[in-house]
Each structure stands twice: as C-alpha cells, then as structure tokens.
Amino acid sequence: MITWITTVGWSPFAVINPIWAYCKENEKTPDKLFLIHTENMKVLKNVETCKKYLNEILREYSNNNFKEENLISYQIENETYEIYSLAMKKIIDRELKDDKAKIILDMTPGRKYMSAINMFFGLKALNNSIQVLYLYLEEAKYQKVPYPLTPIIKNELVDIIESAEIFSKDIIIDEVIDPDDEIIKNISDIDLLRKFLVLRAIVKDFNTITKIKKYFLAKKQSIRSIELRQILKELLEGKYVSITKVPNKKQNYFLYKNLEKADKYIEETLNQLNIGEDGG
C-alpha cells in the first residue's frame, strides 16, 4: 500500500505534476492520496482541479484499479506550523498501522516550513517507510505547465533524503591514475562514454541510480535520472548487468551488478585505447 501525502495551495500543478511524474516512472502507483488544504475558497477550487486530474491520471496508470474514494481531502483549520504538523502526524500514524505501508511525502507544493516538517518525518521514519520526494524544475516558467508538456530535460523527481545523504559524502576513487579519466578524454561519442562510465561506476560499488549519478559528478560528467534509467534498461536488456531489489519499503531502490559481458566490454574498451587498469 502506497500512500501519497501532499498539500494543496495556490498552484494545482505543483500538486498534480509530481504524482504524474511518479506514475510515469514507476510500475506501482499510489493506492491512496491525501490532499491537505485549508477552507480558503481559491484553495478549495484548486482541490477540485487536483481531484479531477489525479483521478484520471491514477486510473490510467493503475489500469483502472485506483478507487476514487482513496483520493481524500483533508481539511485543516489553518496553515500554521502547529496545525500542519499535527495533521501530518495523525495521517502518518494512521497509515503506518499497516506494517506493509509505504508513505510518500511530496514537498514540492507548500511553504518552506511544510517542507521542513516533511523532512523531519522522513528522517524520523524507521525501516525506510517514509520517502520524501521533490519535483525539481530547472526553469520557473514550467511551474504551471502539465507534466507531459514539460521538456524531460527540464524536470526531475528527486528522492531528497537519499540524494542528500549520498551527495554529501566524500567520494574516494582508489586509483592514483584513474583510467576512466583517460576514457573521458578519448571517447567523443557521449552515448558510448555514458555506457562505459555507468558500468565502471557499478564495478566500484556505485551501484544504485543515485550513487551512479554521484560517480558521474565526481568525474565532472552530468547525467539525469531519466537518461540513466534508459541506459540501465538497455544494459539490462543486453545482459550487461543484473538487478536486485533491496528488501525494504522504498520504491525503486535497486542494486545493479555487472555481468561477465560488462567485464569484457570494459576490458575491450580499455585495450582499444591502450589504457590499462593502472592508467597506462
């Protein structure tokens, strides 16, 4: 059971688009949604707009298995941090009575203190039962645009806690002279370079999507999650890597492992450029 909790304010698409992105990127869609809101007339109108879109989106991506009664309006007296905190606690405590429950807190809409409260509950959660997501937009002009009309390269759904944890850690590359640095200089085809670096990252135990992105960053290369997922999909289909789901409650938390075909590909690539594992 996946429960999605979000806040409706002045921008309906700040509520709608993260859920739309999640449904597009994940096989399992939310089973229940809570829309926290006040009784402000404009906000109430936005709640109805959100409901209309979300019902259609969830029906489409769940193959008509989503139940309309599971799209729940949760009205609060006002937006003070005390009232908001109490509402979040009540919803979370009730949902976590099911030991198989997973809760997603969307910090995209709402005020800054609401985001801070979401992070508090996410960090406090045991067994990864709460995930905090944020739909990052590179340009503000897309804030009021439906998700499918936003260029893929201009947005990204981010697991905030996982990303902050991984990207805040120092990266250590064992080699004094890293052959990957020579590969970066010698491969001009960006697709081939990315494929090679993904496999090299996995070899070095950067074996989740976020960790692979961390490795790219360390190598002064950039890759978006959606682009990385496509590469990993192709590598899986080509039998270069295998995938194992981590036994916890987080969605899309997988470990990748190189197969023999990947090891041969790395070795052949290094040999073609006369680069050994010691960099020479």
Side-chain angles (χ1 to χ4, degrees):
M1 169 73 77
I2 299 176
T3 298
W4 186 289
I5 306 173
T6 188
T7 306
V8 182
W10 307 120
S11 176
F13 284 109
V15 178
I16 296 164
N17 285 347
I19 299 173
W20 210 332
Y22 185 88
C23 289
K24 187 173 181 180
E25 295 178 11
N26 294 272
E27 293 182 5
K28 185 75 172 68
T29 58
D31 303 286
K32 185 186 295 186
L33 273 77
F34 283 89
L35 305 177
I36 300 176
H37 63 89
T38 64
E39 59 182 356
N40 177 281
M41 292 303 296
K42 183 177 180 180
V43 171
L44 290 174
K45 183 177 179 180
N46 288 342
V47 169
E48 293 308 310
T49 299
C50 291
K51 281 186 172 183
K52 181 179 179 181
Y53 271 88
L54 294 174
N55 266 317
E56 292 299 320
I57 292 167
L58 289 163
R59 282 176 183 163
E60 174 68 23
Y61 284 96
S62 69
N63 295 318
N64 289 318
N65 289 321
F66 182 75
K67 299 177 181 179
E68 188 173 349
E69 60 266 28
N70 284 342
L71 182 50
I72 302 165
S73 297
Y74 194 96
Q75 185 168 306
I76 56 178
E77 182 180 349
N78 57 58
E79 287 187 341
T80 62
Y81 67 88
E82 298 97 334
I83 296 295
Y84 182 79
S85 298
L86 183 59
M88 288 291 290
K89 185 178 187 304
K90 285 182 177 179
I91 296 172
I92 290 171
D93 287 348
R94 184 168 67 186
E95 293 301 303
L96 287 183
K97 287 180 180 178
D98 179 355
D99 60 6
K100 295 181 180 180
K102 175 200 166 179
I103 293 176
I104 297 175
L105 306 181
D106 181 14
M107 60 182 286
T108 310
R111 301 171 68 176
K112 289 182 179 179
Y113 71 81
M114 294 177 177
S115 297
I117 291 169
N118 288 345
M119 286 293 290
F120 167 77
F121 282 110
L123 291 168
K124 183 182 178 183
L126 300 175
N127 300 322
N128 295 310
S129 56
I130 297 180
Q131 186 176 19
V132 182
L133 299 184
Y134 177 75
L135 184 62
Y136 170 73
L137 294 176
E138 289 189 3
E139 297 181 28
K141 68 181 181 180
Y142 295 112
Q143 288 179 346
K144 298 182 180 180
V145 177
Y147 176 74
L149 300 181
T150 305
I152 290 176
I153 61 171
K154 296 295 183 181
N155 68 75
E156 182 171 0
L157 191 62
V158 181
D159 183 321
I160 290 293
I161 294 177
E162 181 192 27
S163 295
E165 180 181 4
I166 291 175
F167 282 95
S168 64
K169 292 180 179 178
D170 292 332
I171 184 171
I172 299 174
I173 304 297
D174 292 335
E175 295 91 345
V176 176
I177 301 176
D178 190 347
D180 295 4
D181 296 331
E182 292 299 314
I183 289 291
I184 291 170
K185 294 177 184 177
N186 286 280
I187 297 183
S188 58
D189 187 314
I190 188 65
D191 292 331
L192 290 178
L193 176 60
R194 285 178 168 179
K195 176 182 177 181
F196 178 84
L197 290 180
V198 167
L199 295 175
R200 286 290 286 174
I202 295 172
V203 164
K204 300 178 183 184
D205 291 329
F206 294 86
N207 51 5
T208 69
I209 286 178
T210 306
K211 288 181 179 179
I212 294 171
K213 289 182 65 180
K214 171 80 171 183
Y215 188 78
F216 268 70
L217 183 65
K219 292 300 173 184
K220 297 181 173 59
Q221 301 295 307
S222 63
I223 188 167
R224 296 176 56 77
S225 294
I226 194 165
E227 296 167 332
L228 178 53
R229 286 192 183 97
Q230 182 59 40
I231 293 173
L232 288 168
K233 179 181 178 183
E234 293 170 0
L235 291 173
L236 282 165
E237 292 173 349
K239 308 298 184 183
Y240 286 89
V241 301
S242 62
I243 187 172
T244 303
K245 187 173 182 179
V246 175
N248 65 22
K249 298 178 180 178
K250 289 190 103 175
Q251 191 79 359
N252 266 7
Y253 184 34
F254 298 103
L255 294 179
Y256 292 89
K257 181 180 179 181
N258 284 350
L259 300 176
E260 183 179 352
K261 189 174 181 180
D263 296 333
K264 289 182 179 179
Y265 175 81
I266 291 172
E267 182 180 357
E268 289 171 1
T269 302
L270 293 172
N271 289 338
Q272 286 172 8
L273 297 173
N274 294 316
I275 301 171
E277 283 293 333
D278 59 356

